[in-house]
Amino acid sequence: MKEKKTNEVYYEGRITGAFGAGYMVTTDDGRVFRCRTFPGTQSGNPESSLAAVGDQVEVQVTLSGTDALEGIIMQVQPRRSALIRKRDPRRNRSREKQQVIAANIELLVPVVSAYEPPLTTRLIDRYLVFAESEQLPVLLVVNKMDLDDGVEVRKLMQVYHDLGYRICYVSIYRQSGIDELIEALGGRISAFSGHSGVGKSTIINLLTGVRLKTSRTSWKSGKGVHTTSNATMLPLPAGGYVIDTPGIREFSLADITRENLRFYFREFLQVMPECGFSSCTHTVEPDCAVKTAVGNGVIDAGRYESYLALFYALEDER
Ligand SMILES: Nc1nc2c(ncn2[C@@H]2O[C@H](COP(=O)(O)OP(=O)(O)OP(=O)(O)O)[C@@H](O)[C@H]2O)c(=O)[nH]1
Ligand SMILES: [Mg+2]
Ligand SMILES: [Zn+2]
């Protein structure tokens, strides 16, 4: 019997896939390892998921003659940003409060569709609040423009355009708006998120040439059945990555309170100083400049309704 000579090698890499208990780690020079965590894995993010797609990690690989494909995650670096889903306390077997869906993303891409499922601005506002609170750039994508003449949808989206958010209108069926989308992603690490059935996986398949599972009917069940169940990070031909996240129904606004919510509606910032009370919540107070601006049409009424809905919901989310 030949004596095996083993030696340990360490690599820096990024988690590019999460599958049950295992992770795929891709190093900067393109090596790919199947990895797992172990009780001694050092976390830079206590109280949160130990490892998630997008995490920067150090892995230990034991070389034993042939090229090794498996490794152990020794250390997870602190996250610069995180998309989080709140745990269902009834199903939460681990003690972590927050489940990280994707880490270190540089661009949040909320995807909506013109129809099927119908476009709801309330969800867009929720994403925007999250992005503003994390100081994360946003790109809004409206898919399935083939199902609409575009007039109504563009009218609904005009408010976001006026607020300075970039919007890409695409149709995968017609292959329209794709070049503009690729340009807008700009080599960054982007997280696509949105209701089930809006076409996230279909868009990502087209951008990356990878075949993610898509579904014809998932949104119709209305039960949050998602075709995509694990976050996957895929390289874009022109640089950067896209993360296909499961359609997020309960997007956690963990760091947002009734007190700071007002700062995440960017159009409130200019008028807020004119409110009668410096601590004005823009809900029931008299002499409120935000409410006046809504009355004048300076602030969009739908946006203000989203503010109120979030304001009153925040208490319950704690
Ligand atoms: N009409 C039309 N349908 C589209 C377009 N893009 C995607 N679809 C369809 O929309 C359905 C859902 O697409 P998916 O890519 O699975 O949606 P998803 O957002 O990934 O859904 P989950 O993984 O469940 O979150 C599929 O039947 C697609 O073929 C489009 O541009 N136009
Ligand atoms: Mg999908
Ligand atoms: Zn006010």
Side-chain angles (χ1 to χ4, degrees), residues 200-202 213-214 227-228 244-245:
K200 298 178 294 296
S201 298
T202 311
K213 207 170 154 197
T214 60
T227 315
T228 305
D244 183 20
T245 64

Side-chain angles (χ1 to χ4, degrees), residues 32-67:
V32 179
F33 297 107
R34 257 195 326 269
C35 295
R36 55 196 166 77
T37 56
F38 77 116
T41 300
Q42 300 284 311
S43 166
N45 314 280
E47 294 204 19
S48 181
S49 301
L50 179 57
V53 167
D55 268 330
Q56 204 74 46
V57 294
E58 185 186 72
V59 296
Q60 184 199 74
V61 176
T62 303
L63 296 177
S64 53
T66 53
D67 261 357

Side-chain angles (χ1 to χ4, degrees), residues 272 275-277 280-283 285-291:
M272 257 164 35
C275 288
F277 298 92
C280 187
T281 64
H282 323 303
T283 54
E285 296 86 346
D287 195 16
C288 169
V290 170
K291 280 194 280 184

Side-chain angles (χ1 to χ4, degrees), residues 10-256:
Y10 292 84
Y11 289 101
E12 297 282 331
R14 189 185 289 284
I15 297 180
T16 50
F19 318 94
Y23 300 96
M24 194 163 93
V25 173
T26 307
T27 65
D28 291 343
D29 58 0
R31 291 165 206 261
V32 179
F33 297 107
R34 257 195 326 269
C35 295
R36 55 196 166 77
T37 56
F38 77 116
T41 300
Q42 300 284 311
S43 166
N45 314 280
E47 294 204 19
S48 181
S49 301
L50 179 57
V53 167
D55 268 330
Q56 204 74 46
V57 294
E58 185 186 72
V59 296
Q60 184 199 74
V61 176
T62 303
L63 296 177
S64 53
T66 53
D67 261 357
L69 294 171
E70 296 189 357
I72 297 167
I73 297 176
M74 305 301 288
Q75 194 167 349
V76 181
Q77 310 300 350
R79 298 181 181 117
R80 291 185 300 278
S81 69
L83 284 187
I84 286 158
R85 178 164 38 203
K86 256 199 353 206
R87 291 262 187 203
D88 180 344
R90 286 160 302 180
R91 289 196 202 157
N92 189 0
R93 270 176 288 146
S94 72
R95 246 171 297 144
E96 65 188 30
K97 287 195 205 89
Q98 303 175 330
Q99 181 190 10
V100 175
I101 300 160
N104 299 325
I105 54 175
E106 295 164 330
L107 181 72
L108 180 66
V109 185
V111 184
V112 294
S113 61
Y115 282 113
E116 292 188 346
L119 198 156
T120 54
T121 55
R122 201 53 60 80
L123 184 73
I124 296 176
D125 291 331
R126 198 180 161 93
Y127 278 118
L128 293 178
V129 163
F130 174 82
E132 295 281 353
S133 74
E134 297 270 316
Q135 293 178 298
L136 203 57
V138 193
L139 173 68
L140 295 170
V141 171
V142 186
N143 187 30
K144 307 196 189 181
M145 288 302 286
D146 52 283
L147 294 181
D148 182 82
D149 62 9
V151 178
E152 278 307 309
V153 168
R154 279 170 200 268
K155 229 190 268 172
L156 269 178
M157 297 301 291
Q158 185 62 38
V159 56
Y160 302 108
H161 177 81
D162 293 343
L163 289 170
Y165 293 108
R166 183 154 183 194
I167 308 166
C168 280
Y169 297 93
V170 301
S171 163
I172 300 307
Y173 282 15
R174 280 198 198 138
Q175 302 258 312
S176 63
I178 312 296
D179 290 344
E180 200 195 335
L181 175 58
I182 291 169
E183 191 261 311
L185 294 174
R188 289 176 281 191
I189 299 173
S190 312
F192 281 53
S193 184
H195 271 318
S196 183
V198 294
K200 298 178 294 296
S201 298
T202 311
I203 296 171
I204 290 172
N205 286 352
L206 186 82
L207 294 179
T208 61
V210 176
R211 294 204 131 260
L212 296 174
K213 207 170 154 197
T214 60
S215 161
R216 186 163 295 277
T217 51
S218 56
W219 73 273
K220 280 184 180 152
S221 72
K223 286 181 186 145
V225 179
H226 291 293
T227 315
T228 305
S229 54
N230 286 315
T232 329
M233 193 163 156
L234 300 161
L236 289 168
Y241 284 93
V242 287
I243 298 173
D244 183 20
T245 64
I248 297 168
R249 298 180 74 208
E250 282 146 316
F251 209 79
S252 170
L253 302 179
D255 294 332
I256 294 162

